[in-house]
Amino acid sequence: MLNFNNTSEIEPLEGILGQERAIEAMEKGLKINNPAYNIYLSGDSGTGKTTYAIKALNKYAAKKRNHKDWCYVYNFENNREPLIIGLDKGLGKVFKKDIEKLIETLLDELKDAFESEDFEIGKNQLIEEYEIEKDTLIKKIKKYAEEKGFKLKSSKVGMVFIPIEDEENDEDEDYKDEEFYKLKRELENAAIQVVYKIRELENAAKEALLELEEETAKFIIDPHIEVLLEKYNSYDKVKTYLNNMRENILEHVYLFYMDEEELKDKYDKEHFIKYKVNLFVDNGIDRENSKAPVIVEINPSPSNLFGKAEYDYYNGNVKTDFTKLIPGAVHKANGGYLVLYVDQLLRYPLSWDMLKRAIQSRQIGVDTQTSIKPENMPIDIKVVLIGNHYMYNLLYNYDSDFSKYFKIFVDFDNEMDKTDHNEDGIARFIAYQCGKNNLKHFTYDAVKEVIKFSTRICGDRYKLSTKFNKIMEIIFEGDVCAQIRDSEYVDKCDVQKAILERKKRLNRIENKMDESLENGFTLIETSGNRIGVMNGLSVLSTGEYSFGRPSRITVTTSPGNKGIVNIEREVNMSGPIHNKGVLILGGYLAENFAQEFPLSLNANICFEQNYGGIEGDSATGAELYALLSSLSKIPLKQNIAATGSMNQKGEIQVVGGISEKIEGFYSACKKQGLNGNQGVIIPKNNSRNLVLSEEVTNAINEGKFTIYTVERVEEAIEILTDVKFDEIKSRVIERLREFNELQSSSKR
């Protein structure tokens, strides 16, 4: 590593460590400006993929300048379909204030204008002219009626003509009646013409008043509208909106100068909502330096992703409008990046389907579930899904659209090579975390102990873990241990104590099993020899903690034709991989011991005191050793346990959890007494996976415990019996021949 006394002397690590392939893929995905090149970021929990993703996105977001502000406004041509307007970032809030100020100004100025002396004089002049012409017409018809001997009176039904009494007229009554009705009809027709003329005058007067009102309103409104049209000259949708607003204000200008008491009609009060602006997405005022949005949505429900509309309730009725539209994460991320956790996203199948449609169509609306249908927003986003390999394979294989829209796969590894560079990186990572979280710095030896812990997590001496959340736990807990010691720095002993205390928090089940072994409840022998009995090794997991346990494997053999019987399988306590391993034993026996006669035997294999089931093939070798011991009647050493998978050709293959298995048998030996002859047989290729505890390592160095590495089963059986394999083979063949002859004679 770097040469330092403690981590305060080295440069902190700011970036990500050991993920070169993933970084290269991420960089490529972020550089490709194509809607299909969205990103799926995969990796184990704790590898730093989310932290890296946010940093990388913020870096690229700082370079993007194509995000906008978005506003929903009233559609004066179709009130059920609110319009969306995109503006340069920061201009949305300005536009909203401009419209608010416009309406406030018009309310004041229009009211003043229509209450002014000039308007009243013009209005009264028009009314007076109408009244004069109306009076002239009435006087003419009245005079004409009087000349004809009738008097004009007004009533609810209109004009009524009453004859003037003339007592000196001695004319014939019949002639008088005929003349009377003739004159009356003539006068009534004339009156009708007068009424029509009065109506024409009245309509003309109304038109003139409306023209006066409109001209007065235009005189007030147009200068303000022209200023805004000039200000937003480069936005066609804004200009159309302003012109439509102008026409609507002119049409309803009377509402602008009514007193509050006069606006009794609820519709009239709500009329002014039309002139509001819903600043739907606001990307800030600093238009030069603001970065594109990076939105992380941890609860991607349909409404959280794609927006919604709030509602008001009036007498049991639901009511909403464009001002109550609320954006979702997709709207907020427009022009930038949207980060989603795939396990959360797939909890909402509708969200996943809507997201794919949005990516495909490059536009998104707001699902209001009401009568209004807001105009869709054009979108330009890059979606980053964060998940694991299982979810990636699931989507890739079962969703045909997934590969179309997520073409970049960023795969975070859970380990890295144990190089000087990466060891230095862990030291610098510790320095960074100490500075960031105000922790005590680590000494050189403490860092080495953390690196050993990292190697232990990987189970490979030539690898380091990239699960930095586990390393972070040791950093924080080591700091606490140093505080308890009142030490200036975190030293090796603090890291070791932190690791030990972490183990104590998690190893309750292990302790219970140790007690069972000490009390003799679990039958394991670590000395002596037994025929058909072998100590196998297994790994048990309780959450994040794994530990090794020796397991007694017993085999019994007899003449018959059942072959090798896996007792665990017969009672449904064996998994498919373990079942496969047992079947492999039959293949090995047939090739090596039954070439001259049929293989006829009954062999029962059992993991004694196993009550929780078994899976895996790492005990295949141990099962074979017990089987050969039972057939040859040669005892096996109980002071040596074995682990290792095998194939039909007798080659020993690597297995997992090798360090835990060795430590598990060492613990059992220690409890029953170390005698210097105990040890474990492991596959030779597992040697690089040995990252043992300091206690076990010391015991090996002192000759108290031994690790044997083998490549073939023949090597292992010789270690376990101190007998050459050729002799074992001859005894097994002789025994199998006897079984075959007995089976053949029983058939005869």
Side-chain angles (χ1 to χ4, degrees):
M1 285 193 303
L2 294 167
N3 186 18
F4 60 90
N5 293 314
N6 62 75
T7 52
S8 66
E9 302 172 0
I10 59 177
E11 183 181 355
L13 177 73
E14 295 288 347
I16 194 79
L17 185 64
Q19 302 292 352
E20 288 77 13
R21 181 182 62 246
I23 292 173
E24 184 179 347
M26 187 75 168
E27 292 284 336
K28 181 169 287 187
L30 292 175
K31 288 176 181 176
I32 297 176
N33 186 22
N34 186 299
Y37 279 79
N38 296 293
I39 297 169
Y40 188 100
L41 202 158
S42 175
D44 291 346
S45 176
T47 52
K49 59 184 183 296
T50 302
T51 302
Y52 164 72
I54 300 303
K55 278 188 176 181
L57 293 178
N58 282 322
K59 171 187 168 185
Y60 275 81
K63 303 174 184 177
K64 294 190 75 172
R65 293 288 184 271
N66 60 337
H67 53 294
K68 298 179 179 179
D69 288 346
W70 295 92
C71 303
Y72 268 112
V73 296
Y74 186 80
N75 186 346
F76 294 100
E77 296 176 351
N78 185 346
N79 61 359
R80 292 186 180 275
E81 298 181 2
L83 300 174
I84 193 160
I85 294 176
L87 300 164
D88 285 348
K89 49 187 175 288
L91 200 56
K93 190 173 290 185
V94 176
F95 177 63
K96 179 180 173 70
K97 288 182 178 179
D98 284 343
I99 299 301
E100 289 175 353
K101 184 177 180 182
L102 170 67
I103 300 303
E104 290 175 4
T105 301
L106 293 181
L107 281 168
D108 292 337
E109 293 187 3
L110 286 172
K111 191 169 185 178
D112 290 343
F114 289 116
E115 290 178 355
S116 67
E117 183 179 351
D118 291 341
F119 179 75
E120 288 297 328
I121 290 173
K123 179 180 175 182
N124 291 334
Q125 184 177 348
L126 289 173
I127 294 173
E128 186 177 346
E129 289 175 358
Y130 160 72
E131 293 292 342
I132 290 172
E133 292 188 31
K134 178 182 175 183
D135 288 343
T136 300
L137 289 172
I138 292 175
K139 284 178 182 178
K140 283 183 180 180
I141 189 66
K142 186 176 182 180
K143 182 178 179 183
Y144 181 70
E146 288 175 352
E147 289 175 354
K148 297 295 184 179
F150 285 83
K151 185 182 291 185
L152 177 65
K153 286 190 175 182
S154 297
S155 70
K156 292 180 180 180
V157 296
M159 295 182 182
V160 178
F161 295 95
I162 301 173
I164 300 172
E165 295 293 334
D166 188 1
E167 296 179 355
E168 297 179 356
N169 192 342
D170 295 327
E171 296 184 37
D172 184 74
E173 190 67 28
D174 292 336
Y175 172 78
K176 186 177 179 182
D177 288 344
E178 182 181 344
E179 189 69 25
F180 172 81
Y181 288 112
K182 182 180 179 182
L183 286 171
K184 188 175 181 182
R185 281 195 298 272
E186 181 184 342
L187 290 171
E188 287 174 348
N189 288 334
I192 290 172
Q193 293 179 7
V194 169
V195 169
Y196 277 118
K197 287 183 179 180
I198 289 173
R199 286 180 181 173
E200 289 177 0
L201 287 173
E202 185 177 351
N203 289 334
K206 286 181 179 179
E207 287 292 330
L209 281 173
L210 288 174
E211 287 181 9
L212 175 64
E213 190 177 76
E214 185 174 333
E215 289 301 319
T216 303
K218 285 180 179 179
F219 182 77
I220 301 298
I221 296 169
D222 285 353
H224 296 293
I225 295 292
E226 289 297 330
V227 170
L228 293 181
L229 286 171
E230 181 64 27
K231 183 174 183 178
Y232 298 97
N233 184 52
S234 58
Y235 300 98
D236 291 338
K237 291 188 77 171
V238 175
K239 291 194 293 183
T240 301
Y241 170 72
L242 290 171
N243 287 324
N244 289 339
M245 178 193 283
R246 173 185 177 276
E247 296 300 321
N248 189 267
I249 293 173
L250 289 173
E251 183 180 350
H252 299 89
V253 70
Y254 62 92
L255 296 174
F256 281 76
Y257 58 81
M258 279 187 179
D259 291 334
E260 192 68 30
E261 295 77 16
E262 293 181 286
L263 291 172
K264 295 178 181 179
D265 188 357
K266 183 179 176 183
Y267 170 80
D268 289 339
K269 288 183 179 180
E270 293 180 352
H271 176 82
F272 289 94
I273 291 175
K274 295 179 182 180
Y275 309 126
K276 290 186 176 181
V277 172
N278 179 358
L279 181 52
F280 193 61
V281 177
D282 181 11
N283 276 311
I285 297 175
D286 189 359
R287 289 185 280 170
E288 295 300 324
N289 299 318
S290 64
K291 64 182 182 64
V294 176
I295 304 298
V296 181
E297 180 53 65
I298 60 174
N299 181 24
S301 65
S303 59
N304 286 349
L305 272 186
F306 306 103
K308 61 181 179 179
E310 292 182 329
Y311 307 99
D312 290 330
Y313 293 90
Y314 292 108
N315 300 323
N317 296 321
V318 176
K319 190 176 181 66
T320 189
D321 58 67
F322 73 96
T323 64
K324 294 179 172 60
L325 298 177
I326 297 175
V330 177
H331 301 103
K332 296 174 183 176
N334 195 8
Y337 305 93
L338 175 64
V339 180
L340 301 171
Y341 295 94
V342 69
D343 59 332
Q344 298 295 327
L345 178 63
L346 294 184
R347 295 182 186 214
Y348 302 97
L350 182 59
S351 292
W352 174 236
D353 289 337
M354 292 175 70
L355 179 64
K356 288 188 293 183
R357 286 199 297 270
I359 293 172
Q360 180 184 26
S361 63
R362 305 195 71 180
Q363 59 181 6
I364 185 72
V366 180
D367 185 13
T368 63
Q369 298 182 346
T370 62
S371 58
I372 66 170
K373 185 181 178 182
E375 182 183 10
N376 287 344
M377 172 195 289
I379 59 170
D380 175 21
I381 62 172
K382 191 172 288 289
V383 180
V384 178
L385 293 183
I386 297 178
N388 54 34
H389 289 86
Y390 172 77
M391 298 304 296
Y392 176 82
N393 292 331
L394 192 70
L395 288 170
Y396 191 90
N397 292 320
Y398 294 101
D399 190 326
S400 58
D401 293 328
F402 177 72
S403 58
K404 295 179 185 177
Y405 306 130
F406 290 86
K407 293 185 178 294
I408 297 295
F409 180 55
V410 179
D411 189 11
F412 265 60
D413 203 343
N414 58 4
E415 61 184 26
M416 57 186 172
D417 292 335
K418 190 177 182 182
T419 63
D420 291 343
H421 171 76
N422 288 336
E423 287 188 354
D424 291 344
I426 289 183
R428 294 174 58 207
F429 173 78
I430 295 172
Y432 172 76
Q433 295 298 336
C434 290
K436 177 184 175 183
N437 298 289
N438 196 27
L439 306 176
K440 294 178 182 293
H441 279 277
F442 280 53
T443 65
Y444 185 88
D445 288 338
V447 172
K448 285 178 64 177
E449 200 65 25
V450 173
I451 290 173
K452 182 179 178 181
F453 174 75
S454 176
T455 304
R456 168 84 177 195
I457 295 173
C458 289
D460 190 327
R461 286 187 292 169
Y462 301 100
K463 296 288 184 180
L464 294 169
S465 174
T466 58
K467 293 183 178 180
F468 289 100
N469 62 331
K470 301 295 183 187
I471 297 174
M472 280 295 302
E473 292 175 10
I474 300 304
I475 293 173
F476 278 104
E477 293 170 28
D479 173 75
V480 173
C481 293
Q483 289 182 40
I484 294 172
R485 289 196 308 112
D486 195 23
S487 172
E488 183 180 0
Y489 299 108
V490 179
D491 211 339
K492 176 181 179 179
C493 61
D494 300 309
V495 176
Q496 290 176 330
K497 186 176 181 182
I499 295 171
L500 181 62
E501 289 182 348
R502 178 177 179 272
K503 178 181 177 180
K504 286 181 179 179
R505 293 196 299 270
L506 301 170
N507 70 346
R508 183 180 66 85
I509 303 299
E510 183 182 19
N511 289 339
K512 292 292 183 184
M513 289 186 170
D514 287 342
E515 289 179 14
S516 177
L517 184 63
E518 285 183 288
N519 295 330
F521 299 150
T522 300
L523 300 180
I524 294 291
E525 296 180 50
T526 59
S527 61
N529 299 279
R530 295 286 297 272
I531 294 174
V533 179
M534 181 69 208
N535 285 327
L537 298 173
S538 60
V539 174
L540 303 179
S541 296
T542 57
E544 64 174 303
Y545 181 67
S546 297
F547 59 96
R549 289 285 96 181
S551 299
R552 172 175 279 186
I553 300 171
T554 61
V555 176
T556 61
T557 54
S558 64
N561 57 8
K562 292 182 180 179
I564 300 175
V565 177
N566 176 12
I567 292 177
E568 267 73 26
R569 179 184 179 185
E570 297 301 310
V571 293
N572 296 320
M573 293 179 65
S574 176
I577 298 175
H578 182 251
N579 294 336
K580 175 187 175 183
V582 174
L583 293 175
I584 287 173
L585 299 181
Y588 177 80
L589 284 180
E591 182 173 79
N592 289 276
F593 304 99
Q595 293 296 306
E596 299 176 359
F597 52 86
L599 184 64
S600 300
L601 84 160
N602 291 340
N604 296 294
I605 299 178
C606 180
F607 274 72
E608 303 294 351
Q609 294 183 290
N610 169 36
Y611 307 108
I614 187 169
E615 176 60 315
D617 63 353
S618 64
T620 317
E623 290 169 332
L624 176 66
Y625 311 145
L627 177 59
L628 295 179
S629 171
S630 177
L631 288 170
S632 66
K633 299 300 182 180
I634 297 175
L636 298 173
K637 297 176 183 177
Q638 300 301 293
N639 56 302
I640 298 177
T643 184
S645 167
M646 63 169 281
N647 59 30
Q648 293 187 104
K649 299 298 183 180
E651 296 170 324
I652 298 296
Q653 303 165 146
V654 297
V655 293
I658 195 72
S659 295
E660 289 85 352
K661 291 175 179 177
I662 293 171
E663 290 171 357
F665 188 65
Y666 172 83
S667 176
C669 294
K670 181 181 177 183
K671 293 186 184 311
Q672 295 187 356
L674 290 171
N675 57 27
N677 296 320
Q678 292 143 331
V680 174
I681 296 173
I682 67 169
K684 185 175 183 179
N685 290 336
N686 266 132
S687 298
R688 65 177 289 164
N689 302 115
L690 296 179
V691 189
L692 299 168
S693 67
E694 190 170 354
E695 181 182 356
V696 176
T697 301
N698 291 337
I700 293 170
N701 292 335
E702 293 169 6
K704 297 178 180 178
F705 196 77
T706 306
I707 293 177
Y708 305 91
T709 61
V710 298
E711 294 182 281
R712 295 191 56 82
V713 296
E714 295 85 355
E715 299 174 53
I717 194 70
E718 289 182 355
I719 294 171
L720 288 165
T721 61
D722 288 333
V723 178
K724 291 295 182 180
F725 182 73
D726 288 342
E727 182 178 345
I728 297 172
K729 183 176 181 179
S730 63
R731 289 195 187 188
V732 171
I733 291 174
E734 182 181 350
R735 186 78 183 280
L736 289 175
R737 192 187 301 277
E738 293 174 0
F739 285 172
N740 182 59
E741 290 174 354
L742 287 170
Q743 186 69 15
S744 299
S745 62
S746 66
K747 289 180 180 180
R748 290 196 295 268

